[in-house]
């Protein structure tokens, strides 16, 4: 081979490698997350991953319905790698539309890392958000268990998705007729906080999420001067919503998305992330949080049944 041919081959190889590197660079250096509770500025929450893996993280802020629509309409061209959404109700809806990548990281994770994840429903559970009662310590608190919600009036701040999630254990545990009666009593005693007097907001127990209380306890009349308790803590365990990460179908940056998901299941990083989000780590001790025994995975099939009951009761 002549010197010219050797030189030409070297140049061609160099140009090809540069072109390939340029083509792969966006995939290697960017991860796009769609979320209904994280804002663009919240990409700083993930700076440890960004720094370690030299990845730029972009957050698209949109509600769960918009995320579902975008994934449905654009398919593999959605421009989204991961979804991090607040409610298991919405995760379940998106999964039912086959918009989430099938995953199973069970061989790569310790039991403690995957105890809130589901390879059946393809989500990585990285945190929990218990359903708690905020109560005024200066006033009698009538709500100490979830069953008390069917006997006494209370303020209810939960979204529709959280209503479905908190009621699923009741449908799972009871026969259909008894579950319907329980939910009917639950909705009968529910009081919406909107347009209520300051006195009522201050004195009536409030059903809310742990994260909502922690974020608003110093600024909202609903939570100011109130403590929280975790219902059923000493019996069947406290109901909760699982905070999850899901990889979308055929994510452009799948390898990075997988690395991200596993990264935030590591104990130290998981605790740090949940502290910032005001949720509880999957490593929380039983002294702090005693979870309801039935897993979220096993409760998901009952979401549809709860929806039917709520529709009959005209609850939205």
């Amino acid at each position: 081979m002549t010197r010219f041919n050797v030189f030409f081959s070297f140049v061609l190889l160099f140009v090809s490698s540069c072109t390939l590197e340029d083509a792969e660079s966006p995939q290697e250096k960017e991860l796009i997350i769609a979320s209904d509770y994280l804002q663009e500025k919240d990409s700083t929450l993930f700076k440890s991953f960004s720094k370690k893996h030299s990845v730029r993280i972009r957050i698209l802020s949109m509600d769960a319905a918009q995320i579902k629509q975008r994934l449905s309409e654009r398919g593999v061209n959605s421009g989204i790698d991961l979804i991090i959404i607040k409610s298991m109700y919405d995760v379940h809806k998106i999964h039912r539309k086959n918009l989430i990548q099938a995953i199973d990281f069970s061989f790569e994770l310790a039991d403690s890392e995957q105890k809130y994840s589901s390879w059946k429903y393809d989500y990585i559970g990285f945190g929990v958000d218990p359903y708690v009662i905020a109560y005024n310590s200066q006033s009698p608190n009538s709500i100490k268990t979830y069953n008390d919600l069917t006997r006494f009036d209370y303020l209810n701040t939960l979204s529709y998705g959280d209503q479905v999630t908190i009621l699923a254990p009741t449908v799972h545990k009871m026969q259909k007729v008894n579950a319907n009666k329980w939910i009917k009593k639950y909705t009968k005693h529910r009081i919406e906080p909107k347009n209520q007097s300051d006195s009522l907001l201050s004195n009536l127990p409030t059903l809310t999420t742990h994260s909502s209380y922690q974020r608003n306890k110093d600024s909202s009349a609903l939570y100011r001067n109130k403590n929280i308790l975790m219902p059923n803590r000493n019996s069947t365990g406290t109901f909760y919503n699982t905070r999850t990460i899901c990889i979308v179908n055929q994510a452009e940056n799948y390898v990075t998305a997988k690395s991200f998901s596993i990264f935030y299941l590591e104990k130290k990083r998981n605790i740090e992330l949940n502290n910032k989000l005001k949720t509880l780590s999957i490593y929380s001790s039983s002294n702090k949080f005693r979870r309801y025994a039935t897993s979220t995975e096993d409760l998901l099939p009952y979401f549809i049944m709860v929806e039917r009951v709520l529709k009959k009761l005209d609850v939205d």
Side-chain angles (χ1 to χ4, degrees):
M1 184 180 291
T2 66
R3 290 183 179 180
F4 175 78
N5 287 338
V6 172
F7 176 76
F8 180 77
S9 298
F10 175 78
V11 171
L12 187 62
L13 179 63
F14 177 77
V15 171
S16 298
S17 65
C18 289
T19 304
L20 181 60
E21 182 179 333
D22 290 342
E24 292 181 349
S25 180
Q27 293 182 352
E28 295 174 348
K29 296 187 178 181
E30 187 170 59
L31 185 68
I32 302 174
I33 300 170
S35 177
D36 62 351
Y37 66 96
L38 299 175
Q39 306 298 316
E40 186 176 351
K41 61 182 177 59
D42 291 324
S43 60
T44 57
L45 292 171
F46 310 114
K47 62 183 179 182
S48 56
F49 179 82
S50 295
K51 184 176 181 180
K52 182 175 180 178
H53 293 271
S54 300
V55 173
R56 179 194 174 204
I57 293 178
R58 283 204 301 128
I59 296 176
L60 305 178
S61 180
M62 57 183 73
D63 64 37
Q66 290 173 323
I67 293 172
K68 179 169 167 282
Q69 181 178 4
R70 180 161 173 163
L71 294 176
S72 297
E73 293 179 351
R74 301 191 187 183
V76 296
N77 298 313
S78 67
I80 297 170
D81 298 306
L82 291 170
I83 58 174
I84 302 180
I85 52 183
K86 186 180 293 185
S87 174
M88 278 307 308
Y89 168 73
D90 290 310
V91 172
H92 188 226
K93 286 179 68 175
I94 292 174
H95 182 270
R96 284 162 56 194
K97 294 295 183 180
N98 298 314
L99 300 173
I100 297 174
Q101 179 67 42
I103 57 171
D104 186 344
F105 304 155
S106 57
F107 292 105
E108 299 159 81
L109 298 172
D111 289 345
S112 59
E113 294 176 313
Q114 58 180 305
K115 63 182 177 181
Y116 287 95
S117 298
S118 170
W119 314 128
K120 180 178 180 180
Y121 293 100
D122 306 311
Y123 63 79
I124 299 98
F126 70 88
V128 292
D129 199 5
Y131 295 114
V132 302
I133 300 296
Y135 66 97
N136 189 328
S137 58
Q138 303 301 315
S139 302
N141 177 31
S142 54
I143 311 291
K144 294 183 173 63
T145 68
Y146 293 116
N147 199 48
D148 289 334
L149 297 171
T150 67
R151 301 167 57 219
F152 303 103
D153 290 345
Y154 64 96
L155 295 164
N156 190 323
T157 69
L158 301 183
S159 66
Y160 179 80
D162 278 317
Q163 304 282 0
V164 173
T165 305
I166 195 176
L167 292 171
T170 300
V171 176
H172 168 261
K173 185 177 181 180
M174 298 181 177
Q175 293 181 348
K176 182 177 179 181
V177 174
N178 291 334
N180 289 359
K181 289 179 179 178
W182 197 99
I183 294 174
K184 188 174 182 178
K185 291 178 182 178
Y186 163 90
T187 58
K188 178 182 177 181
H189 288 281
R190 183 183 72 158
I191 297 175
E192 297 294 335
K194 188 177 181 180
N195 300 325
Q196 303 297 338
S197 67
D198 289 343
S199 175
L200 189 143
L201 294 179
S202 175
N203 291 298
L204 207 60
T206 303
L207 174 62
T208 188
T209 61
H210 178 274
S211 62
S212 182
Y213 171 82
Q214 294 295 340
R215 285 196 311 270
N216 301 295
K217 62 183 179 180
D218 297 323
S219 59
S220 171
L222 269 172
Y223 308 121
R224 199 180 299 120
N225 300 320
K226 287 185 177 182
N227 299 322
I228 59 170
L229 67 82
M230 296 196 181
N232 298 27
R233 177 178 176 177
N234 297 321
S235 55
T236 56
T238 302
F239 301 162
Y240 61 93
N241 178 55
T242 305
R243 289 294 181 90
T244 63
I245 299 169
C246 299
I247 302 174
V248 306
N249 269 340
Q250 299 183 52
E252 183 176 359
N253 303 301
Y254 173 81
V255 173
T256 305
K258 179 180 178 180
S259 298
F260 176 94
S261 304
I262 293 175
F263 186 87
Y264 285 104
L265 292 179
E266 295 175 20
K267 187 171 183 178
K268 181 181 178 181
R269 293 163 180 145
N270 184 267
I271 292 172
E272 289 176 349
L273 177 60
N274 280 284
N275 284 342
K276 292 174 182 176
L277 295 175
K278 308 298 184 185
T279 47
L280 299 184
S281 164
I282 60 174
Y283 300 99
S284 296
S285 69
S286 57
N287 291 333
K288 186 173 184 180
F289 169 65
R290 184 167 179 265
R291 66 170 179 163
Y292 183 65
T294 306
S295 70
T296 298
E297 177 181 273
D298 289 336
L299 291 173
L300 285 180
Y302 295 90
F303 279 26
I304 297 173
M305 301 179 199
V306 174
E307 281 193 90
R308 290 172 184 160
V309 177
L310 293 179
K311 186 176 181 180
K312 289 180 181 178
L313 297 173
D314 199 26
V315 174
D316 53 21

